[in-house]
Every structure is written in C-alpha cells, then in structure tokens.
Amino acid sequence: MAAQHKLSPREQEVFLLLAKGRSQGRIQEELCIARSTATTHIHHVYQKLDVHSRQGLIDLVEKAEQSPDASLQG
C-alpha cells in the first residue's frame, strides 16, 4: 500500500505508526522529530492515501488486510 501511494521512506514509517494507532506526540517521540515535522509527515500521508483522519487511515488498512492480495508494504 505504501509503495502504491508513493510514500517516502519517512512517510512509510509514519504510516505504519499511524496504522498502529499511535498519536502525533508518540510518533514525534519514536522518530525523534520535531512536532511540526511530524505534523507535516502525517498531513502528507493522509493526503497521499486520500483520508482525513487516523480512523480513516486505520479503516483503509483494515479494508486492505481483508483483501487477499493486500500488502501494507506495497
């Protein structure tokens, strides 16, 4: 899924953390990045996946997992 939507390597890291339900603050801490950087990456991930919230992203991931040929890594 990440490759299909052309996520950068860092966006892929953020995507995986979001898919696990991590908050922006937790992502910021885990990746050792500034709050504004975390916000930017999250915004880009949402934009590229055409979702508007963490729940929308999680729903998209769950839908992809139900598909027999789905892959989160692309």
Side-chain angles (χ1 to χ4, degrees), residues 1-7 12 15-16 64 69-74:
M1 181 182 289
Q4 175 186 358
H5 293 281
K6 299 182 175 146
L7 299 180
Q12 289 179 35
F15 165 71
L16 291 173
D69 58 326
S71 171
L72 294 180
Q73 297 296 324

Side-chain angles (χ1 to χ4, degrees), residues 9-28:
R10 186 58 117 183
E11 290 168 351
Q12 289 179 35
E13 291 177 301
V14 171
F15 165 71
L16 291 173
L17 292 170
L18 287 168
K20 293 178 181 179
R22 300 293 193 268
S23 68
Q24 176 179 325
R26 183 75 181 266
I27 291 169
Q28 175 186 338

Side-chain angles (χ1 to χ4, degrees), residues 17-68:
L17 292 170
L18 287 168
K20 293 178 181 179
R22 300 293 193 268
S23 68
Q24 176 179 325
R26 183 75 181 266
I27 291 169
Q28 175 186 338
E29 290 174 14
E30 286 191 37
L31 299 179
C32 299
I33 56 177
R35 180 180 182 88
S36 61
T37 303
T39 300
T40 299
H41 287 311
I42 291 168
H43 175 75
H44 289 163
V45 169
Y46 285 178
Q47 188 175 36
K48 289 180 179 183
L49 295 175
D50 194 27
V51 297
H52 304 286
S53 66
R54 186 177 323 126
Q55 186 60 54
L57 182 136
I58 291 169
D59 292 344
L60 182 68
V61 168
E62 288 176 351
K63 182 179 175 183
E65 287 176 339
Q66 293 173 0
S67 180

